[in-house]
Amino acid sequence: MASVMGPYLKITVLIWADVLAAYALWVMQTYLTNVWKMSITNAAAIVNVFTGVSTLLPLALTFLMDTFFGNFWMLLFSSLSYCVGMGFLAMSTPPVLSAATGTCNNYDPACIGDTQTVLFYISLVLIAFGMAGHISSLGPFIMDQVPPEAGGNVEAPPNEAPYVCLAIFAMVLVPIIAVFALPYIKPWSIRFGIPAICTLVSTLIFLSGLHSYIYVEPRGSSLTHIFQVYVASTLKIHHHRPRDAAQLYERDDHDDDLVPHTNRFRCLDKAAIILPNQTQEEQERNKWKLCRVTEVEETKITIPKVEARRINVITKHGLLDKPDETIPMSIFWLLPQFLLLGAMDGLARKGVEGFFHDQVPKSMRAYMVLFTEAVFGAGIIASVLSVYISNKVSKRGGRQGWFQYTLNRSRLDNYYWTLAALSAINLVFFAVVASCYSYKDGEIEDDEDDLSEDEETSAPYDDSASCCCC
């Protein structure tokens, strides 16, 4: 077996940066509220924006890595970004640059000048890029270090085994000790300085193995074909799609990868139209103007939140009855739908809370949270009922139901289409009810209620008025 433990350990030591950056993020809100004296909401907003950016970036960086840079350069850039970002974060604390900037060295908002503020926000951007870059490239680059003849196995020679064990022990122990010890360190400069030093050390260890790494050229991104289909279909929007799908462009030298034509999203079929004013050879040279039917169909598969794509992959690789096997499909296919679902959940929850707060009687506002949770609880129960009904309906006529014993044999894509249709119906119903609903102005009535209460409290007692009322 091939011995790649040396390069392997020099790469995996970069996990230090990920662990310590996660710690820095964990204490960031406390730092902003205690030192910068920010409100909890403002501090939480900064942390949430940071988290959102570091979650969105991996998709774009993976595309750039697969198309242009490759795993190594993305890992190198993100590691350097980590180093500079963590260093700037430590330098943004008041005591570090107080002498150079002429500010005080106390952990107080008055000691935070423009230089410290700029360094802090730049550090967040660099750390977010570093985190996203490691998510995109660290795992793939580690896998690139295993030669094909090793059969996926990595082991150390007997004479290197003690050193390898010691290296693994240090690699795991150092970030664990740091994370548990840092909370007991009071000065924030040291709290952020230690992760910065460890990140620098891990990057230097990684750079020490440059001569021993296996470098793989960018293989190209599957997202490129999707972009090409959208561009080509848009450029040919005024051209008529042929009635016979056999007239669309396809290549016979890709028999193993052919995907049959379907009638879904037929507007995208225009990307495979062969124009009469140019030869086919001329059009084939520009993939942004002419795409294969297979590429069009693969793009169609990505349009519905991606279960149909998963089923197509497991069918192609013969994994229908192998639920424990790893599916050769990137987890980033799930990223867009989870982002949309996360945004929808947050907006829906806030919307329901706002509705109950403004529209329910004031005496019932104590139950507002319970009302909100009740709505979502009813939705959870309804989801169970929808699965049961969908399974019963899909079995009618002796057909195979959508929900089978294994996930690979199930047709969850059909169920997701059903949910999409129900959501569309619910949206129409909501629009109708919302347009007919008689709203009350919660803020104005609250002010009037508060004003009337104040008037009643502050008004002097008048016997004549009391008698008159009687």
Side-chain angles (χ1 to χ4, degrees), residues 37-57:
K37 303 303 180 183
M38 280 189 179
S39 65
I40 295 178
T41 54
N42 289 344
I46 292 176
V47 174
N48 288 336
V49 169
F50 173 88
T51 305
V53 171
S54 60
T55 304
L56 287 171
L57 274 179

Side-chain angles (χ1 to χ4, degrees), residues 55 84 196 261 290 315 336 349 463:
T55 304
V84 178
H261 177 265
L290 182 63
T315 302
R349 186 173 293 274
D463 289 337

